[in-house]
PDB file of all heavy atoms in Angstrom:
ATOM      1  N   GLN A   1       3.996  -1.274   7.253  1.00 97.00           N
ATOM      2  CA  GLN A   1       3.827  -1.648   8.729  1.00 97.00           C
ATOM      3  C   GLN A   1       2.864  -2.736   8.876  1.00 97.00           C
ATOM      4  O   GLN A   1       1.746  -2.650   8.361  1.00 97.00           O
ATOM      5  CB  GLN A   1       3.356  -0.404   9.461  1.00 97.00           C
ATOM      6  CG  GLN A   1       4.321   0.898   9.399  1.00 97.00           C
ATOM      7  CD  GLN A   1       5.681   0.613  10.138  1.00 97.00           C
ATOM      8  OE1 GLN A   1       5.674  -0.237  11.077  1.00 97.00           O
ATOM      9  NE2 GLN A   1       6.702   1.222   9.705  1.00 97.00           N
ATOM     10  N   ARG A   2       3.281  -3.648   9.702  1.00 96.00           N
ATOM     11  CA  ARG A   2       2.340  -4.753  10.073  1.00 96.00           C
ATOM     12  C   ARG A   2       1.914  -4.565  11.537  1.00 96.00           C
ATOM     13  O   ARG A   2       2.669  -4.577  12.438  1.00 96.00           O
ATOM     14  CB  ARG A   2       2.947  -6.109   9.877  1.00 96.00           C
ATOM     15  CG  ARG A   2       2.033  -7.255  10.129  1.00 96.00           C
ATOM     16  CD  ARG A   2       2.587  -8.610   9.788  1.00 96.00           C
ATOM     17  NE  ARG A   2       1.764  -9.725   9.950  1.00 96.00           N
ATOM     18  CZ  ARG A   2       1.862 -10.984   9.587  1.00 96.00           C
ATOM     19  NH1 ARG A   2       3.006 -11.263   8.874  1.00 96.00           N
ATOM     20  NH2 ARG A   2       0.928 -11.869   9.812  1.00 96.00           N
ATOM     21  N   ASP A   3       0.625  -4.645  11.802  1.00 94.00           N
ATOM     22  CA  ASP A   3       0.116  -4.506  13.074  1.00 94.00           C
ATOM     23  C   ASP A   3      -0.899  -5.587  13.347  1.00 94.00           C
ATOM     24  O   ASP A   3      -2.075  -5.506  12.830  1.00 94.00           O
ATOM     25  CB  ASP A   3      -0.626  -3.075  13.361  1.00 94.00           C
ATOM     26  CG  ASP A   3      -1.040  -2.956  14.705  1.00 94.00           C
ATOM     27  OD1 ASP A   3      -0.744  -3.764  15.587  1.00 94.00           O
ATOM     28  OD2 ASP A   3      -1.793  -2.053  14.927  1.00 94.00           O
ATOM     29  N   GLY A   4      -0.448  -6.737  13.878  1.00 92.00           N
ATOM     30  CA  GLY A   4      -1.317  -7.891  14.087  1.00 92.00           C
ATOM     31  C   GLY A   4      -1.761  -8.404  12.733  1.00 92.00           C
ATOM     32  O   GLY A   4      -0.821  -8.934  11.957  1.00 92.00           O
ATOM     33  N   ASP A   5      -2.953  -8.476  12.617  1.00 93.00           N
ATOM     34  CA  ASP A   5      -3.478  -9.062  11.200  1.00 93.00           C
ATOM     35  C   ASP A   5      -3.649  -8.057  10.099  1.00 93.00           C
ATOM     36  O   ASP A   5      -4.376  -8.315   9.121  1.00 93.00           O
ATOM     37  CB  ASP A   5      -4.752  -9.867  11.504  1.00 93.00           C
ATOM     38  CG  ASP A   5      -5.926  -9.005  12.069  1.00 93.00           C
ATOM     39  OD1 ASP A   5      -5.641  -7.783  12.171  1.00 93.00           O
ATOM     40  OD2 ASP A   5      -6.964  -9.531  12.130  1.00 93.00           O
ATOM     41  N   THR A   6      -3.142  -6.783  10.299  1.00 96.00           N
ATOM     42  CA  THR A   6      -3.300  -5.735   9.315  1.00 96.00           C
ATOM     43  C   THR A   6      -1.955  -5.250   8.830  1.00 96.00           C
ATOM     44  O   THR A   6      -1.010  -4.946   9.493  1.00 96.00           O
ATOM     45  CB  THR A   6      -4.076  -4.581   9.889  1.00 96.00           C
ATOM     46  OG1 THR A   6      -5.368  -5.084  10.330  1.00 96.00           O
ATOM     47  CG2 THR A   6      -4.340  -3.459   8.743  1.00 96.00           C
ATOM     48  N   LEU A   7      -1.898  -5.271   7.394  1.00 97.00           N
ATOM     49  CA  LEU A   7      -0.663  -4.720   6.785  1.00 97.00           C
ATOM     50  C   LEU A   7      -1.047  -3.347   6.120  1.00 97.00           C
ATOM     51  O   LEU A   7      -2.010  -3.296   5.394  1.00 97.00           O
ATOM     52  CB  LEU A   7      -0.174  -5.659   5.694  1.00 97.00           C
ATOM     53  CG  LEU A   7       1.164  -5.230   5.052  1.00 97.00           C
ATOM     54  CD1 LEU A   7       2.330  -5.482   6.057  1.00 97.00           C
ATOM     55  CD2 LEU A   7       1.428  -6.151   3.815  1.00 97.00           C
ATOM     56  N   THR A   8      -0.386  -2.243   6.633  1.00 98.00           N
ATOM     57  CA  THR A   8      -0.654  -0.938   6.070  1.00 98.00           C
ATOM     58  C   THR A   8       0.529  -0.402   5.288  1.00 98.00           C
ATOM     59  O   THR A   8       1.724  -0.592   5.677  1.00 98.00           O
ATOM     60  CB  THR A   8      -0.904   0.003   7.302  1.00 98.00           C
ATOM     61  OG1 THR A   8      -2.036  -0.415   8.054  1.00 98.00           O
ATOM     62  CG2 THR A   8      -1.212   1.391   6.778  1.00 98.00           C
ATOM     63  N   LEU A   9       0.216   0.122   4.063  1.00 98.00           N
ATOM     64  CA  LEU A   9       1.198   0.657   3.180  1.00 98.00           C
ATOM     65  C   LEU A   9       0.872   2.096   2.945  1.00 98.00           C
ATOM     66  O   LEU A   9      -0.226   2.440   2.613  1.00 98.00           O
ATOM     67  CB  LEU A   9       1.274  -0.158   1.827  1.00 98.00           C
ATOM     68  CG  LEU A   9       1.766  -1.520   1.832  1.00 98.00           C
ATOM     69  CD1 LEU A   9       0.751  -2.579   2.394  1.00 98.00           C
ATOM     70  CD2 LEU A   9       2.179  -2.009   0.395  1.00 98.00           C
ATOM     71  N   ARG A  10       1.942   2.929   2.984  1.00 98.00           N
ATOM     72  CA  ARG A  10       1.848   4.427   2.678  1.00 98.00           C
ATOM     73  C   ARG A  10       2.982   4.840   1.766  1.00 98.00           C
ATOM     74  O   ARG A  10       4.126   4.514   2.044  1.00 98.00           O
ATOM     75  CB  ARG A  10       1.892   5.138   3.972  1.00 98.00           C
ATOM     76  CG  ARG A  10       0.588   4.954   4.858  1.00 98.00           C
ATOM     77  CD  ARG A  10       0.640   5.979   6.021  1.00 98.00           C
ATOM     78  NE  ARG A  10      -0.528   5.799   6.945  1.00 98.00           N
ATOM     79  CZ  ARG A  10      -0.590   4.925   7.904  1.00 98.00           C
ATOM     80  NH1 ARG A  10       0.462   4.132   8.205  1.00 98.00           N
ATOM     81  NH2 ARG A  10      -1.711   4.873   8.631  1.00 98.00           N
ATOM     82  N   TRP A  11       2.580   5.620   0.814  1.00 98.00           N
ATOM     83  CA  TRP A  11       3.571   6.287  -0.124  1.00 98.00           C
ATOM     84  C   TRP A  11       4.036   7.618   0.588  1.00 98.00           C
ATOM     85  O   TRP A  11       3.191   8.288   1.075  1.00 98.00           O
ATOM     86  CB  TRP A  11       2.994   6.510  -1.492  1.00 98.00           C
ATOM     87  CG  TRP A  11       3.012   5.340  -2.438  1.00 98.00           C
ATOM     88  CD1 TRP A  11       1.951   4.735  -2.862  1.00 98.00           C
ATOM     89  CD2 TRP A  11       4.193   4.647  -2.952  1.00 98.00           C
ATOM     90  NE1 TRP A  11       2.282   3.723  -3.780  1.00 98.00           N
ATOM     91  CE2 TRP A  11       3.606   3.624  -3.863  1.00 98.00           C
ATOM     92  CE3 TRP A  11       5.568   4.844  -2.820  1.00 98.00           C
ATOM     93  CZ2 TRP A  11       4.476   2.787  -4.519  1.00 98.00           C
ATOM     94  CZ3 TRP A  11       6.336   3.961  -3.499  1.00 98.00           C
ATOM     95  CH2 TRP A  11       5.844   2.968  -4.377  1.00 98.00           C
ATOM     96  N   HIS A  12       5.308   7.831   0.462  1.00 98.00           N
ATOM     97  CA  HIS A  12       5.804   9.168   0.857  1.00 98.00           C
ATOM     98  C   HIS A  12       6.583   9.724  -0.313  1.00 98.00           C
ATOM     99  O   HIS A  12       7.751   9.287  -0.608  1.00 98.00           O
ATOM    100  CB  HIS A  12       6.717   9.057   2.091  1.00 98.00           C
ATOM    101  CG  HIS A  12       6.046   8.504   3.335  1.00 98.00           C
ATOM    102  ND1 HIS A  12       5.384   9.352   4.133  1.00 98.00           N
ATOM    103  CD2 HIS A  12       5.897   7.282   3.814  1.00 98.00           C
ATOM    104  CE1 HIS A  12       4.900   8.707   5.164  1.00 98.00           C
ATOM    105  NE2 HIS A  12       5.210   7.296   4.958  1.00 98.00           N
ATOM    106  N   ALA A  13       5.934  10.534  -1.077  1.00 98.00           N
ATOM    107  CA  ALA A  13       6.585  11.204  -2.258  1.00 98.00           C
ATOM    108  C   ALA A  13       7.310  12.463  -1.916  1.00 98.00           C
ATOM    109  O   ALA A  13       6.941  13.194  -0.929  1.00 98.00           O
ATOM    110  CB  ALA A  13       5.497  11.433  -3.349  1.00 98.00           C
ATOM    111  N   PRO A  14       8.274  12.848  -2.751  1.00 98.00           N
ATOM    112  CA  PRO A  14       9.045  13.953  -2.513  1.00 98.00           C
ATOM    113  C   PRO A  14       8.087  15.143  -2.478  1.00 98.00           C
ATOM    114  O   PRO A  14       7.104  15.307  -3.317  1.00 98.00           O
ATOM    115  CB  PRO A  14      10.051  14.181  -3.684  1.00 98.00           C
ATOM    116  CG  PRO A  14      10.135  12.757  -4.127  1.00 98.00           C
ATOM    117  CD  PRO A  14       8.894  12.114  -3.838  1.00 98.00           C
ATOM    118  N   ASN A  15       8.292  16.172  -1.545  1.00 97.00           N
ATOM    119  CA  ASN A  15       7.513  17.415  -1.404  1.00 97.00           C
ATOM    120  C   ASN A  15       6.014  17.084  -1.287  1.00 97.00           C
ATOM    121  O   ASN A  15       5.125  17.863  -1.586  1.00 97.00           O
ATOM    122  CB  ASN A  15       7.730  18.307  -2.658  1.00 97.00           C
ATOM    123  CG  ASN A  15       9.105  18.843  -2.778  1.00 97.00           C
ATOM    124  OD1 ASN A  15       9.665  19.272  -1.754  1.00 97.00           O
ATOM    125  ND2 ASN A  15       9.711  18.739  -3.953  1.00 97.00           N
ATOM    126  N   ASN A  16       5.716  15.872  -0.723  1.00 97.00           N
ATOM    127  CA  ASN A  16       4.339  15.457  -0.398  1.00 97.00           C
ATOM    128  C   ASN A  16       3.448  15.499  -1.601  1.00 97.00           C
ATOM    129  O   ASN A  16       2.210  15.755  -1.426  1.00 97.00           O
ATOM    130  CB  ASN A  16       3.709  16.403   0.717  1.00 97.00           C
ATOM    131  CG  ASN A  16       4.468  16.298   2.087  1.00 97.00           C
ATOM    132  OD1 ASN A  16       4.808  15.115   2.454  1.00 97.00           O
ATOM    133  ND2 ASN A  16       4.752  17.354   2.653  1.00 97.00           N
ATOM    134  N   LEU A  17       4.059  15.215  -2.726  1.00 98.00           N
ATOM    135  CA  LEU A  17       3.180  15.203  -4.034  1.00 98.00           C
ATOM    136  C   LEU A  17       2.299  14.020  -3.921  1.00 98.00           C
ATOM    137  O   LEU A  17       2.602  13.021  -3.358  1.00 98.00           O
ATOM    138  CB  LEU A  17       4.097  15.140  -5.179  1.00 98.00           C
ATOM    139  CG  LEU A  17       4.903  16.420  -5.528  1.00 98.00           C
ATOM    140  CD1 LEU A  17       5.924  16.051  -6.641  1.00 98.00           C
ATOM    141  CD2 LEU A  17       4.038  17.460  -6.070  1.00 98.00           C
ATOM    142  N   PRO A  18       1.103  14.142  -4.587  1.00 98.00           N
ATOM    143  CA  PRO A  18       0.232  12.866  -4.652  1.00 98.00           C
ATOM    144  C   PRO A  18       0.937  11.811  -5.611  1.00 98.00           C
ATOM    145  O   PRO A  18       1.564  12.083  -6.466  1.00 98.00           O
ATOM    146  CB  PRO A  18      -0.981  13.432  -5.368  1.00 98.00           C
ATOM    147  CG  PRO A  18      -0.548  14.820  -6.048  1.00 98.00           C
ATOM    148  CD  PRO A  18       0.590  15.207  -5.252  1.00 98.00           C
ATOM    149  N   PHE A  19       0.687  10.581  -5.014  1.00 98.00           N
ATOM    150  CA  PHE A  19       1.336   9.454  -5.681  1.00 98.00           C
ATOM    151  C   PHE A  19       0.460   8.134  -5.487  1.00 98.00           C
ATOM    152  O   PHE A  19       0.831   7.350  -4.708  1.00 98.00           O
ATOM    153  CB  PHE A  19       2.808   9.229  -5.164  1.00 98.00           C
ATOM    154  CG  PHE A  19       3.638   8.258  -6.045  1.00 98.00           C
ATOM    155  CD1 PHE A  19       3.971   8.720  -7.326  1.00 98.00           C
ATOM    156  CD2 PHE A  19       3.980   7.113  -5.591  1.00 98.00           C
ATOM    157  CE1 PHE A  19       4.698   7.878  -8.099  1.00 98.00           C
ATOM    158  CE2 PHE A  19       4.798   6.211  -6.366  1.00 98.00           C
ATOM    159  CZ  PHE A  19       5.042   6.589  -7.732  1.00 98.00           C
ATOM    160  N   PRO A  20      -0.613   8.013  -6.190  1.00 98.00           N
ATOM    161  CA  PRO A  20      -1.428   6.851  -6.033  1.00 98.00           C
ATOM    162  C   PRO A  20      -1.108   5.688  -6.856  1.00 98.00           C
ATOM    163  O   PRO A  20      -1.874   5.193  -7.647  1.00 98.00           O
ATOM    164  CB  PRO A  20      -2.857   7.527  -6.497  1.00 98.00           C
ATOM    165  CG  PRO A  20      -2.531   8.480  -7.435  1.00 98.00           C
ATOM    166  CD  PRO A  20      -1.197   9.164  -6.939  1.00 98.00           C
ATOM    167  N   MET A  21       0.193   5.280  -6.663  1.00 98.00           N
ATOM    168  CA  MET A  21       0.615   4.217  -7.445  1.00 98.00           C
ATOM    169  C   MET A  21       0.257   2.841  -6.781  1.00 98.00           C
ATOM    170  O   MET A  21       0.576   2.477  -5.598  1.00 98.00           O
ATOM    171  CB  MET A  21       2.220   4.213  -7.462  1.00 98.00           C
ATOM    172  CG  MET A  21       2.839   3.124  -8.308  1.00 98.00           C
ATOM    173  SD  MET A  21       2.688   3.508 -10.035  1.00 98.00           S
ATOM    174  CE  MET A  21       3.767   2.332 -10.735  1.00 98.00           C
ATOM    175  N   PRO A  22      -0.629   2.024  -7.510  1.00 98.00           N
ATOM    176  CA  PRO A  22      -1.034   0.789  -7.007  1.00 98.00           C
ATOM    177  C   PRO A  22       0.194  -0.134  -6.594  1.00 98.00           C
ATOM    178  O   PRO A  22       1.184  -0.081  -7.181  1.00 98.00           O
ATOM    179  CB  PRO A  22      -1.805   0.127  -8.200  1.00 98.00           C
ATOM    180  CG  PRO A  22      -2.103   1.253  -9.014  1.00 98.00           C
ATOM    181  CD  PRO A  22      -1.032   2.271  -8.893  1.00 98.00           C
ATOM    182  N   VAL A  23      -0.023  -0.963  -5.541  1.00 98.00           N
ATOM    183  CA  VAL A  23       1.036  -1.849  -5.076  1.00 98.00           C
ATOM    184  C   VAL A  23       0.380  -3.217  -4.998  1.00 98.00           C
ATOM    185  O   VAL A  23      -0.676  -3.491  -4.438  1.00 98.00           O
ATOM    186  CB  VAL A  23       1.454  -1.379  -3.661  1.00 98.00           C
ATOM    187  CG1 VAL A  23       2.612  -2.338  -3.189  1.00 98.00           C
ATOM    188  CG2 VAL A  23       2.108   0.080  -3.788  1.00 98.00           C
ATOM    189  N   ASP A  24       1.201  -4.295  -5.505  1.00 98.00           N
ATOM    190  CA  ASP A  24       0.823  -5.639  -5.302  1.00 98.00           C
ATOM    191  C   ASP A  24       1.382  -6.171  -4.022  1.00 98.00           C
ATOM    192  O   ASP A  24       2.493  -5.908  -3.697  1.00 98.00           O
ATOM    193  CB  ASP A  24       1.416  -6.422  -6.485  1.00 98.00           C
ATOM    194  CG  ASP A  24       0.639  -6.121  -7.802  1.00 98.00           C
ATOM    195  OD1 ASP A  24      -0.535  -5.590  -7.766  1.00 98.00           O
ATOM    196  OD2 ASP A  24       1.148  -6.603  -8.925  1.00 98.00           O
ATOM    197  N   VAL A  25       0.586  -7.002  -3.389  1.00 98.00           N
ATOM    198  CA  VAL A  25       1.099  -7.710  -2.177  1.00 98.00           C
ATOM    199  C   VAL A  25       0.607  -9.200  -2.382  1.00 98.00           C
ATOM    200  O   VAL A  25      -0.490  -9.532  -2.575  1.00 98.00           O
ATOM    201  CB  VAL A  25       0.408  -7.245  -0.856  1.00 98.00           C
ATOM    202  CG1 VAL A  25       0.956  -7.883   0.265  1.00 98.00           C
ATOM    203  CG2 VAL A  25       0.829  -5.737  -0.644  1.00 98.00           C
ATOM    204  N   GLN A  26       1.716 -10.073  -2.305  1.00 98.00           N
ATOM    205  CA  GLN A  26       1.376 -11.460  -2.428  1.00 98.00           C
ATOM    206  C   GLN A  26       1.286 -12.167  -0.962  1.00 98.00           C
ATOM    207  O   GLN A  26       2.198 -11.945  -0.168  1.00 98.00           O
ATOM    208  CB  GLN A  26       2.556 -12.227  -3.102  1.00 98.00           C
ATOM    209  CG  GLN A  26       2.186 -13.693  -3.360  1.00 98.00           C
ATOM    210  CD  GLN A  26       3.221 -14.343  -4.357  1.00 98.00           C
ATOM    211  OE1 GLN A  26       3.763 -13.746  -5.195  1.00 98.00           O
ATOM    212  NE2 GLN A  26       3.388 -15.655  -4.205  1.00 98.00           N
ATOM    213  N   VAL A  27       0.202 -12.659  -0.769  1.00 97.00           N
ATOM    214  CA  VAL A  27      -0.024 -13.425   0.526  1.00 97.00           C
ATOM    215  C   VAL A  27      -0.228 -14.917   0.151  1.00 97.00           C
ATOM    216  O   VAL A  27      -1.285 -15.249  -0.411  1.00 97.00           O
ATOM    217  CB  VAL A  27      -1.280 -12.830   1.309  1.00 97.00           C
ATOM    218  CG1 VAL A  27      -1.346 -13.621   2.668  1.00 97.00           C
ATOM    219  CG2 VAL A  27      -0.966 -11.393   1.507  1.00 97.00           C
ATOM    220  N   GLY A  28       0.654 -15.697   0.628  1.00 92.00           N
ATOM    221  CA  GLY A  28       0.550 -17.157   0.148  1.00 92.00           C
ATOM    222  C   GLY A  28       0.677 -17.256  -1.323  1.00 92.00           C
ATOM    223  O   GLY A  28       1.606 -16.733  -1.918  1.00 92.00           O
ATOM    224  N   GLU A  29      -0.246 -17.822  -1.998  1.00 93.00           N
ATOM    225  CA  GLU A  29      -0.129 -17.921  -3.536  1.00 93.00           C
ATOM    226  C   GLU A  29      -1.068 -16.948  -4.230  1.00 93.00           C
ATOM    227  O   GLU A  29      -1.227 -16.825  -5.545  1.00 93.00           O
ATOM    228  CB  GLU A  29      -0.728 -19.369  -3.905  1.00 93.00           C
ATOM    229  CG  GLU A  29       0.263 -20.455  -3.449  1.00 93.00           C
ATOM    230  CD  GLU A  29      -0.262 -21.835  -3.822  1.00 93.00           C
ATOM    231  OE1 GLU A  29      -1.391 -21.904  -4.405  1.00 93.00           O
ATOM    232  OE2 GLU A  29       0.440 -22.840  -3.600  1.00 93.00           O
ATOM    233  N   THR A  30      -1.614 -16.015  -3.471  1.00 96.00           N
ATOM    234  CA  THR A  30      -2.511 -15.088  -3.954  1.00 96.00           C
ATOM    235  C   THR A  30      -1.935 -13.585  -4.086  1.00 96.00           C
ATOM    236  O   THR A  30      -1.323 -13.163  -3.054  1.00 96.00           O
ATOM    237  CB  THR A  30      -3.845 -14.950  -3.212  1.00 96.00           C
ATOM    238  OG1 THR A  30      -4.455 -16.341  -3.233  1.00 96.00           O
ATOM    239  CG2 THR A  30      -4.832 -14.004  -3.909  1.00 96.00           C
ATOM    240  N   VAL A  31      -1.962 -12.960  -5.108  1.00 97.00           N
ATOM    241  CA  VAL A  31      -1.496 -11.596  -5.310  1.00 97.00           C
ATOM    242  C   VAL A  31      -2.744 -10.656  -5.272  1.00 97.00           C
ATOM    243  O   VAL A  31      -3.683 -10.795  -6.028  1.00 97.00           O
ATOM    244  CB  VAL A  31      -0.693 -11.367  -6.566  1.00 97.00           C
ATOM    245  CG1 VAL A  31      -0.343  -9.975  -6.789  1.00 97.00           C
ATOM    246  CG2 VAL A  31       0.473 -12.304  -6.705  1.00 97.00           C
ATOM    247  N   HIS A  32      -2.591  -9.687  -4.303  1.00 98.00           N
ATOM    248  CA  HIS A  32      -3.682  -8.741  -4.120  1.00 98.00           C
ATOM    249  C   HIS A  32      -3.031  -7.360  -4.632  1.00 98.00           C
ATOM    250  O   HIS A  32      -1.908  -6.970  -4.262  1.00 98.00           O
ATOM    251  CB  HIS A  32      -4.084  -8.565  -2.698  1.00 98.00           C
ATOM    252  CG  HIS A  32      -4.552  -9.887  -2.044  1.00 98.00           C
ATOM    253  ND1 HIS A  32      -5.779 -10.323  -2.014  1.00 98.00           N
ATOM    254  CD2 HIS A  32      -3.742 -10.865  -1.452  1.00 98.00           C
ATOM    255  CE1 HIS A  32      -5.827 -11.545  -1.405  1.00 98.00           C
ATOM    256  NE2 HIS A  32      -4.581 -11.828  -1.044  1.00 98.00           N
ATOM    257  N   THR A  33      -3.905  -6.575  -5.270  1.00 98.00           N
ATOM    258  CA  THR A  33      -3.522  -5.250  -5.773  1.00 98.00           C
ATOM    259  C   THR A  33      -4.152  -4.127  -4.910  1.00 98.00           C
ATOM    260  O   THR A  33      -5.417  -4.105  -4.895  1.00 98.00           O
ATOM    261  CB  THR A  33      -3.863  -4.925  -7.219  1.00 98.00           C
ATOM    262  OG1 THR A  33      -3.129  -5.978  -7.971  1.00 98.00           O
ATOM    263  CG2 THR A  33      -3.447  -3.614  -7.698  1.00 98.00           C
ATOM    264  N   LEU A  34      -3.452  -3.412  -4.259  1.00 98.00           N
ATOM    265  CA  LEU A  34      -3.977  -2.325  -3.446  1.00 98.00           C
ATOM    266  C   LEU A  34      -3.954  -1.125  -4.301  1.00 98.00           C
ATOM    267  O   LEU A  34      -2.921  -0.588  -4.775  1.00 98.00           O
ATOM    268  CB  LEU A  34      -3.167  -2.045  -2.181  1.00 98.00           C
ATOM    269  CG  LEU A  34      -3.384  -2.983  -0.973  1.00 98.00           C
ATOM    270  CD1 LEU A  34      -3.115  -4.483  -1.319  1.00 98.00           C
ATOM    271  CD2 LEU A  34      -2.560  -2.511   0.245  1.00 98.00           C
ATOM    272  N   PRO A  35      -5.205  -0.481  -4.544  1.00 98.00           N
ATOM    273  CA  PRO A  35      -5.198   0.742  -5.333  1.00 98.00           C
ATOM    274  C   PRO A  35      -4.393   1.931  -4.937  1.00 98.00           C
ATOM    275  O   PRO A  35      -3.974   2.797  -5.704  1.00 98.00           O
ATOM    276  CB  PRO A  35      -6.704   1.028  -5.592  1.00 98.00           C
ATOM    277  CG  PRO A  35      -7.274   0.302  -4.366  1.00 98.00           C
ATOM    278  CD  PRO A  35      -6.440  -0.801  -4.001  1.00 98.00           C
ATOM    279  N   MET A  36      -4.215   2.044  -3.524  1.00 98.00           N
ATOM    280  CA  MET A  36      -3.516   3.261  -3.051  1.00 98.00           C
ATOM    281  C   MET A  36      -4.124   4.557  -3.500  1.00 98.00           C
ATOM    282  O   MET A  36      -3.228   5.490  -3.746  1.00 98.00           O
ATOM    283  CB  MET A  36      -1.995   3.050  -3.405  1.00 98.00           C
ATOM    284  CG  MET A  36      -1.312   1.722  -3.026  1.00 98.00           C
ATOM    285  SD  MET A  36      -1.219   1.467  -1.244  1.00 98.00           S
ATOM    286  CE  MET A  36       0.017   2.553  -0.836  1.00 98.00           C
ATOM    287  N   THR A  37      -5.378   4.606  -3.458  1.00 95.00           N
ATOM    288  CA  THR A  37      -6.009   5.783  -4.177  1.00 95.00           C
ATOM    289  C   THR A  37      -5.520   7.090  -3.480  1.00 95.00           C
ATOM    290  O   THR A  37      -5.296   8.138  -4.236  1.00 95.00           O
ATOM    291  CB  THR A  37      -7.567   5.725  -3.904  1.00 95.00           C
ATOM    292  OG1 THR A  37      -7.925   4.453  -4.469  1.00 95.00           O
ATOM    293  CG2 THR A  37      -8.348   6.852  -4.580  1.00 95.00           C
ATOM    294  N   HIS A  38      -5.435   7.220  -2.261  1.00 95.00           N
ATOM    295  CA  HIS A  38      -4.859   8.423  -1.638  1.00 95.00           C
ATOM    296  C   HIS A  38      -3.460   8.251  -1.141  1.00 95.00           C
ATOM    297  O   HIS A  38      -3.068   8.832  -0.091  1.00 95.00           O
ATOM    298  CB  HIS A  38      -5.831   8.876  -0.484  1.00 95.00           C
ATOM    299  CG  HIS A  38      -7.220   9.198  -0.835  1.00 95.00           C
ATOM    300  ND1 HIS A  38      -7.539  10.231  -1.720  1.00 95.00           N
ATOM    301  CD2 HIS A  38      -8.409   8.429  -0.835  1.00 95.00           C
ATOM    302  CE1 HIS A  38      -8.834  10.307  -2.063  1.00 95.00           C
ATOM    303  NE2 HIS A  38      -9.392   9.128  -1.444  1.00 95.00           N
ATOM    304  N   GLY A  39      -2.730   7.363  -1.657  1.00 97.00           N
ATOM    305  CA  GLY A  39      -1.308   7.146  -1.395  1.00 97.00           C
ATOM    306  C   GLY A  39      -1.216   6.110  -0.193  1.00 97.00           C
ATOM    307  O   GLY A  39      -0.116   5.916   0.271  1.00 97.00           O
ATOM    308  N   GLU A  40      -2.277   5.415   0.145  1.00 97.00           N
ATOM    309  CA  GLU A  40      -2.142   4.379   1.176  1.00 97.00           C
ATOM    310  C   GLU A  40      -3.245   3.344   1.015  1.00 97.00           C
ATOM    311  O   GLU A  40      -4.224   3.544   0.244  1.00 97.00           O
ATOM    312  CB  GLU A  40      -2.332   4.976   2.590  1.00 97.00           C
ATOM    313  CG  GLU A  40      -3.646   5.676   2.860  1.00 97.00           C
ATOM    314  CD  GLU A  40      -3.660   6.252   4.312  1.00 97.00           C
ATOM    315  OE1 GLU A  40      -2.873   7.225   4.580  1.00 97.00           O
ATOM    316  OE2 GLU A  40      -4.435   5.685   5.072  1.00 97.00           O
ATOM    317  N   GLY A  41      -2.928   2.201   1.624  1.00 98.00           N
ATOM    318  CA  GLY A  41      -3.907   1.041   1.558  1.00 98.00           C
ATOM    319  C   GLY A  41      -3.647   0.029   2.645  1.00 98.00           C
ATOM    320  O   GLY A  41      -2.564   0.046   3.253  1.00 98.00           O
ATOM    321  N   THR A  42      -4.593  -0.794   2.873  1.00 97.00           N
ATOM    322  CA  THR A  42      -4.333  -1.870   3.960  1.00 97.00           C
ATOM    323  C   THR A  42      -4.925  -3.212   3.400  1.00 97.00           C
ATOM    324  O   THR A  42      -5.755  -3.283   2.482  1.00 97.00           O
ATOM    325  CB  THR A  42      -5.197  -1.606   5.293  1.00 97.00           C
ATOM    326  OG1 THR A  42      -6.651  -1.467   4.886  1.00 97.00           O
ATOM    327  CG2 THR A  42      -4.758  -0.247   5.842  1.00 97.00           C
ATOM    328  N   ILE A  43      -4.359  -4.289   3.963  1.00 97.00           N
ATOM    329  CA  ILE A  43      -4.731  -5.605   3.763  1.00 97.00           C
ATOM    330  C   ILE A  43      -4.755  -6.408   4.942  1.00 97.00           C
ATOM    331  O   ILE A  43      -3.845  -6.268   5.679  1.00 97.00           O
ATOM    332  CB  ILE A  43      -3.955  -6.256   2.480  1.00 97.00           C
ATOM    333  CG1 ILE A  43      -4.452  -7.503   2.053  1.00 97.00           C
ATOM    334  CG2 ILE A  43      -2.480  -6.279   2.979  1.00 97.00           C
ATOM    335  CD1 ILE A  43      -3.725  -8.203   0.905  1.00 97.00           C
TER     336      ILE A  43
END
């Protein structure tokens, strides 16, 4: 979800299992890695 200048990512795993899978987001020429520690992250 993008809200203005903030991008929010959330994992939804089956049966609400924990799933802290890191996610890469490329903005321009730069790749940022969101750790998604609790299943979500923002940039």
Side-chain angles (χ1 to χ4, degrees):
Q1 298 292 334
R2 180 172 187 170
D3 184 10
D5 62 355
T6 301
L7 187 70
T8 302
L9 289 75
R10 291 187 180 87
W11 280 114
H12 297 274
N15 295 315
N16 296 315
L17 289 171
F19 193 69
M21 183 74 171
V23 179
D24 289 346
V25 178
Q26 182 171 339
V27 182
E29 296 181 356
T30 304
V31 176
H32 307 268
T33 299
L34 279 61
M36 306 292 284
T37 305
H38 300 291
E40 62 179 69
T42 61
I43 184 173

